Amino acid sequence: MPSPRSTLARHYGLLPSYVDQTGRRRRMGAATRDALLSAMGVDVSSRDAVAAALADAQRERAVPPYYIATPGQVPDVIVPGAWSLTLENGATQEGRGPLPPLDLGLHCLEARGDQCWLLVAPPSLSLPERGWGVTLPLYGLRGPARGGVGDYTDLATVAKALGAAGAGFVGINPVHAGFPSDPSAISPYSPSHRRRFAVKHLAFRGTPAVPPTRHIDYPASAAALQAAAEAAFAQSGDDPAFAAWRADEGASLERFATYEALAEHHGPKWSAWPAALQSPTSRDVHAFATAQKDRVRYHAWLQFQAETQLSIAATAARDAGMAHGLYLDLAVGTDPFGAETWSEPGAFALGVSLGAPPDAFAADGQRWNLAPFNPRALISSGFAPLAATLRCQLRHARLLRIDHILGFERAFWVPDTGVPGGYVAMPRDAMLAVVRIEAARVGAIVVGEDLGNIPHGLRGALGRSGILGCRVAMFERGLAAEDYPQPVLASFGTHDLPTWLGWRVGRDIDLRETLGSIDAATAANARQERQADVARMDCALGGTDGDVDMLHAYLAHTPALLVALQIEDILGVADQPNLPGTVDEYPNWRHPLPLAADDLATDVRLARAASLMAQAGR
């Protein structure tokens, strides 16, 4: 008979075991179980606490916690007695018996003191026409002759060039808000807040020039940008457009701007702040915001500028004829001590990090230092944090990539205490319904990054939702072009993988051996496997000379609805943008492209790639 703790763990979705990518079955130990439950906010400190938590979990509810319905149809929820319904727009209804048909959105049903969130979503999103686009590093768009970080104006310039070439989208890494007070924190996948935007990509007239360097000098760029931003803010005056936008954004923006002002005084991570400032609702925080209202206004103004400039880039993409425009990227998690967790601590599981189970390259698994959404909090809030995060990105994008969408099925949590990690089941169907709701509002296409240790049934669920999967050619081991599935975005690699040139010569393997992350024997085996993979790829391409045009023609002729070409491959770059598992050992996110945004429109290599796409009917 299972113990009360084990029963509680099952109720909250803790997987008792899993098979890692090496084929080994790993079982969740008691210490891991208790740590994960505690991270969810479940009290397991004593036998009595566990009994109380279990009784609460197993109590009979009048209505389920959530229910997925279809627009225009009566939700099939049996409600005992009277009910009260609060619609997404704030309107309320009361009644007995069957519920009324509901419009698209997130609505709240109450009966006998219990809440049921009604997620009214289309069964599936519409799929796109066949097309193609280019993914590129926004930070690298200055080229070798200009120093500093690429900005939103550069993005608009590139969008115009790619649109003129026939591309349907331009994809970039996440542009979530980072840590301006720490210019060395540059990973776009370790954001401070995913509902605010990166100010390091802002463009202001009169920004001092930054001397070009081999690798991007982020601190120098940040210093130059801050000087220009402060001057522009001082001259901005009372802008009614900013005032109206700030009022519409409300408390969420004020908390973020307050955080940024606090970070100027106390450092980028709230874990190092005085205890009285670690809660956004404390008296000390309120007093600080009042005393520093000009700095709070400044940081709110920076967000207004970021939204405005990103919107201009999105408009430029659409005006250039792009079918989808900006292809933005939603990071899987947020920094555990950044603005997002400070602003909404109840939404996250604290004391754990997202990560990955052991594999051939990481015998002890991976710890990503990212705070995950707490599934209990997601459900109780009506999935509001997820919906708001999606809505923020979809204000500017009509194509959205969800990083590591495997986490919608199950998320790997690694406790801070040092015990092994384990999987937590997530409310997948509800989260996918929220994605469909937010994408349907604006007519967007969604791509789920479904790579890695893929849970059984996830790809089927994505397909039923109309969410495209990903297919990475370097992992397909020479798959014939015609054998690719249709409802996917196909590419050769990703930002975390070697480029076409680097992959062919095993540059990533050499780097890992040099850095000591793999030993000589492992490297030798990896090189043998790589040679075999290159041979398979060359066979699938019908050639053996490594011509990137042959790769692009191969991708163009797949049935994949969307194809993403990487700018590094178009331009013949050998270095990959990011080497996972490293921070300073490799110049991650610091490689400028070999040409600037202004030069892309006339580059013959882009023209060749575009011609191959057109010849294939894309």
Side-chain angles (χ1 to χ4, degrees), residues 33 75 89 121 137 139 142 156 170 199 244 266 296 340 437 482 611:
R33 176 199 64 205
N89 62 9
Y139 56 83
R142 291 296 176 89
V170 54
V199 298
H266 301 287
V296 172
E340 193 171 355
I437 289 169
E482 61 269 20
S611 176

Side-chain angles (χ1 to χ4, degrees), residues 132-139 141 155 158-159 162 167-175 189 317 322 324-329 397 399-401 489 495 563-568 593:
W132 68 283
V134 174
T135 57
L136 49 83
L138 174 55
Y139 56 83
L141 290 180
L155 178 59
V158 164
L162 293 175
F169 60 87
V170 54
I172 56 177
N173 297 127
V175 283
Y189 291 92
M322 285 188 167
H324 309 294
L326 298 187
Y327 173 31
L328 296 186
D329 197 349
L399 185 60
L400 178 67
R401 175 184 181 271
L489 180 145
H495 57 270
V563 166
L565 306 183
Q566 291 163 273
I567 195 67
E568 291 88 354
L593 291 174

Side-chain angles (χ1 to χ4, degrees), residues 469-517:
C470 292
R471 291 299 181 275
V472 174
M474 74 170 67
F475 294 154
E476 296 298 330
R477 304 183 73 84
L479 183 69
E482 61 269 20
D483 291 336
Y484 274 68
Q486 184 185 56
V488 299
L489 180 145
S491 64
F492 170 68
T494 73
H495 57 270
D496 282 337
L497 295 169
T499 64
W500 169 247
L501 292 181
W503 177 76
R504 295 185 65 83
V505 299
R507 196 181 187 100
D508 55 315
I509 301 169
D510 295 344
L511 279 169
R512 291 189 181 281
E513 183 181 18
T514 300
L515 295 174
S517 59

